[in-house]
Amino acid sequence: MSLLAGARFSRWYWLALNAGTLFGVVFCAWLTYQSLGNINSLCLWCSLAWAATIVMFWYVTSHNVREGLLPAPGRIGRFQVQ
């Protein structure tokens, strides 16, 4: 809601959010392995949460690269998600 209201956050906030979503993606990968490898069962709601976490990580990372908060080399730095 803050972003929709026009708030501007500092660099450390965006990088911390990026690190948190990266942790979420790693955690989801571990949960996927546990679910499919050990438990042999797949939960629809878990799959939805995994997909949402990956999308959130992709959006936050692309925002940070686009705004110059996260350095990226060459072509990757010029790639922009609109």
Side-chain angles (χ1 to χ4, degrees):
M1 294 308 297
S2 299
L3 288 174
L4 292 176
R8 291 295 204 204
F9 296 109
S10 61
R11 183 176 190 266
W12 70 267
Y13 179 86
W14 285 107
L15 293 180
L17 182 61
N18 209 158
T21 56
L22 176 61
F23 174 76
V25 167
V26 171
F27 186 63
C28 283
W30 180 77
L31 287 175
T32 303
Y33 172 75
Q34 292 299 318
S35 179
L36 299 177
N38 294 336
I39 302 171
N40 293 325
S41 178
L42 184 61
C43 169
L44 177 63
W45 297 112
C46 298
S47 300
L48 181 64
W50 300 337
T53 302
I54 292 168
V55 169
M56 185 168 45
F57 170 73
W58 177 253
Y59 179 78
V60 171
T61 302
S62 65
H63 173 270
N64 287 344
V65 169
R66 186 175 54 245
E67 296 296 321
L69 302 172
L70 192 62
R75 288 182 6 174
I76 296 173
R78 290 188 301 268
F79 179 71
Q80 294 184 7
V81 176
Q82 299 295 330

